[in-house]
Every structure is written in structure tokens, then in C-alpha cells.
Amino acid sequence: MSVQGQAFEQLFHDEQAVWLQWGAYEAAVLPAVGANLIAFRDKVNQYTFLREPSLEEMDGFRASPGVHGIPVLFPPNRYEDGTFTWNGRTYTFPVNEAATGNHLHGFLHTAAWSVVDFGTNKTESYVSLKIAIDETHPIYAYLPHRFSVRLRYSLNERGLLQHVSVHNEGTEAMPCLIGFHTTINAPFAPGSTADDYRFTLTTGKRWELSERMLPTGSYQPLLADEEAMKTTGISPFWASMDNHYTTEPQNGRNLMELTDTRTGVKLVYDIGTAYKQWMIWNNKATPGFFCPEPQLNLVNAPNVDLPAEQIGLVSLEAGGIWEETSRLYVK
């Protein structure tokens, strides 16, 4: 057993959590609230990297856990009229965004997950979580497949590692539609302000969105500031963003880098190259936090008439496993 780290069950405010600690870092995950990784901190420097709810905000967070921590979106973002047909089967979800008439964000971020294991070894503190869907689970009514999603978070001196895998345990193929509504603080350092922050993102092309916030299938020309987002960096609050882009890995990596120019500290969010799309949302350019959201698939992908590979529309075969890793660390 390493003395550097520990893993234990303890409340996060009034919600049961599994806590991970290693050196200066600590993290907490909430099994009963979508396996949300609700905290990632550097205790020595008092950095708070993810937006966390206060005790007074916990009831609101539990009711709508989309803009704190790292919620799991399955399927991610919006689906036109709450329905799509894929592989000859029609899927129908509740329309839960009245303004657009769409379904938004899926079901896993509000569901209870089970803790498979947590502990500490010579190299890390870790927690493994799982949600299993079959005929007995309420989510099966919307996603009629036997499948499980597993999340493993581990913490060591190199930061936080996320491993996610989707396991098709049924007898026919299923659509694998997944993303994360990762909510990053800017500022994350005490004494800094939002004006001290610049970020870059490995975006490629910008998708045109309709008035219902659904891709038209066409691209839009990038503004000069969007080009800067890819290269020299720009404020996370340069404009109101609810924008959708293709990912375009640079130097073999797909990532967001957020720099505190006052301290020189850089937070890296390396999402892995399986994710084909970025959503980025900044709450109408309100300083405090923003969401660089990795998505495997295009918003509304099954309803868009474009090649599956281009839009990240993954067909997971019977018995198949899709997986990817992402990492949050400081340099």
C-alpha cells in the first residue's frame, strides 16, 4: 500500500462520494448522481479545476447535474423531436428542451451508478464505476439494448486519468453515442480573474447549426477569433459560445489547454483521438467557467445524412467494446 495516496468513501457536502487522493491532488466522484467526477483539485496550490456545487446548490445540482464536474452524456447533446431511426429501429426519447423541441443529453448523467471497486496501489488511487442496462432498467425503454458503461478514474502525480468503456452485452448492434459535459473553472487559481485566462482547442471545422441548435450538415467559415482559438489562444469568454466543431488532432493529440497567464500554470485536458467532435459552451460568455465537451458523435448524428465515419456515428457490434481515455493534468 502506497503512503502517497488513499481512496475512501466520504460525503461531498450531503452526497455520498468516493474520494481519491495522491500527493497534492484530490478528486471526488458521486456514484448516485451519474458517476459525476465532481471535484479535481490541487490542495497545495488551492487550485479548483472543475466547477463544484456549493452545499446550498446541491439540490439543484441533483435535479439537473449538467453544468458541474464531468457529467456523462449518453447520448450527448440534442436529438431532433427526441427521435431517430438507426439500423431499422426507431428510438424515442422525451423532449426535455422545450425551447428547441429536442431531447437533450441522454440519461446516464442523472442515473445511479454502482461502485465496482476503489483503492490504492503503488502507482495510483482509483475508483471503478458501472451502470448496467437491461430489460429491468428504466433506461431500457429508451435504449432497448443490453449494455453497460464503465468509468474508471485514477489519480497520481501525473494528474487525473479517465477510462470509459461501452460494452454491448446484447445480440444485435447498438448505436454508441457518448460525450462529456466537462465544466472547467476559469479562474481555477485563487487570486486570478477570468481576464487572466487563455485557452486553445484542437478544433477543425465549425458545424452550421439551425435555429433549433441542430447541425444542418454544412460547415461555417471560421472567424479570426476562432482561428486564434486553434493557434495562439483566446479568452474562454471572447464571445457567447454554444458552438459545434469537428476535432482536428494536432501533433497526434486532441486537447484543450487553459493557461493562467498570471501564474503561468497550464491545465491540459487531453481527450484522446476517438472523439470526432467538440461542443464548447460558456454560459453566454459569463466569466467563471466554460465547457469544452468531447463528443464521439455529431449532435443529432443519426438524423444527419453524412457518412458515419465523418460524424462519429459508431455501430457497436454484439459483444463489442468501445473505449477511450482522457487525462486532466497541469504543466
Side-chain angles (χ1 to χ4, degrees), residues 6-13 15-21 26-29 38-39 41 52 118 125-126:
Q6 51 183 332
F8 54 92
E9 292 182 299
Q10 185 174 294
L11 291 179
F12 175 88
H13 297 316
E15 182 67 38
Q16 191 66 34
V18 177
W19 288 84
L20 307 178
Q21 294 180 342
E26 69 178 2
V29 65
I38 198 61
R41 309 167 180 162
E52 303 176 17
F118 65 90
S125 299
Y126 66 89

Side-chain angles (χ1 to χ4, degrees), residues 49-102:
F49 298 114
L50 300 176
R51 183 176 185 238
E52 303 176 17
S54 66
L55 175 59
E56 294 72 27
E57 293 171 325
M58 285 301 289
D59 286 342
F61 160 72
R62 279 184 285 256
S64 183
V67 289
H68 294 87
I70 306 181
V72 186
L73 307 183
F74 195 101
N77 213 274
R78 295 176 174 90
Y79 297 83
E80 185 175 4
D81 302 324
T83 188
F84 61 81
T85 299
W86 180 87
N87 209 24
R89 170 179 276 168
T90 297
Y91 298 76
T92 303
F93 306 147
V95 172
N96 59 0
E97 189 179 51
T100 65
N102 300 320

